[in-house]
Amino acid sequence: IGISIKAEICGVMGLAFLGGSYMAETFRSGIEAIDVIQKESAYSLGFNKLQTIIYIIMPQAIRVSLHGIIANIMFLLKETSVFSAISIMDLMFTAKDLIGIYYNTIEALLMLVVFYLIILLPVSIVTVVPDAIVSEPVANPTFPTIFNIPPSEFKVFPVAVETPSSVNVPPV
């Protein structure tokens, strides 16, 4: 065709399309997870379509899809290693160069893992904060856990069992 585009721009465009498609799918599934009754209730309260989307649907959809959004961000950070396929210098490209020059495969790959940990660990720690903000605490857990009920409050109550009159049960 005769179009010449720099490798960096091609890489950014590729990751933008890839990340955009995954994010769109994550938001779509988050919106579809909201019950239709939520929309109907908003209309019955007098909300118009825009107000329903802004105040009712989107806050719930974002809460539902937050885990997927965080996973997509982490995926895109790791997916930058495909830049080496189009000759853009990145960590993977540098590791391949070091392996080719010095033949120290284990050391180069170990440094690659360490650098990816240095990059991804703070990002994963930071992404825990929004997740903790939007997740609601369980009001009535089905079973006591060490986080919400101290062990001293565990109580065992006797259970009365009724037996049919046709069964002869000796007294205990």
Side-chain angles (χ1 to χ4, degrees):
I1 299 175
I3 299 174
S4 178
I5 301 175
K6 290 184 178 181
E8 294 87 5
I9 294 174
C10 286
V12 169
M13 284 176 41
L15 282 182
F17 284 128
L18 179 71
S21 63
Y22 282 132
M23 289 292 183
E25 182 64 25
T26 302
F27 279 121
R28 184 201 58 79
S29 64
I31 290 171
E32 283 186 0
I34 307 304
D35 290 333
V36 177
I37 194 76
Q38 297 286 330
K39 188 190 244 184
E40 294 169 355
S41 299
Y43 290 150
S44 69
L45 289 172
F47 284 60
N48 62 25
K49 214 175 219 184
L50 183 64
Q51 289 173 326
T52 301
I53 291 171
I54 291 173
Y55 297 115
I56 306 297
I57 303 297
M58 287 311 288
Q60 295 180 55
I62 290 171
R63 170 181 249 152
V64 168
S65 60
L66 187 65
H67 295 289
I69 294 167
I70 292 170
N72 284 333
I73 291 169
M74 298 294 290
F75 169 74
L76 282 175
L77 284 173
K78 290 186 270 186
E79 198 62 25
T80 58
S81 64
V82 300
F83 277 177
S84 64
I86 54 174
S87 299
I88 296 177
M89 194 69 137
D90 73 324
L91 288 176
M92 190 65 170
F93 191 82
T94 306
K96 286 181 187 177
D97 275 355
L98 291 175
I99 291 170
I101 294 170
Y102 299 110
Y103 299 106
N104 292 332
T105 306
I106 295 174
E107 290 87 354
L109 292 179
L110 187 62
M111 289 305 295
L112 178 70
V113 168
V114 168
F115 281 125
Y116 269 118
L117 273 176
I118 290 171
I119 293 170
L120 293 175
L121 200 57
V123 172
S124 65
I125 290 171
V126 168
T127 55
V128 169
V129 173
D131 189 36
I133 290 171
V134 293
S135 62
E136 17 180 290
V138 178
N140 297 318
T142 55
F143 59 93
T145 62
I146 59 171
F147 297 111
N148 58 8
I149 298 176
S152 62
E153 293 184 17
F154 292 172
K155 296 179 181 174
V156 178
F157 297 102
V159 178
V161 179
E162 293 184 24
T163 58
S165 58
S166 62
V167 178
N168 292 330
V169 179
V172 181

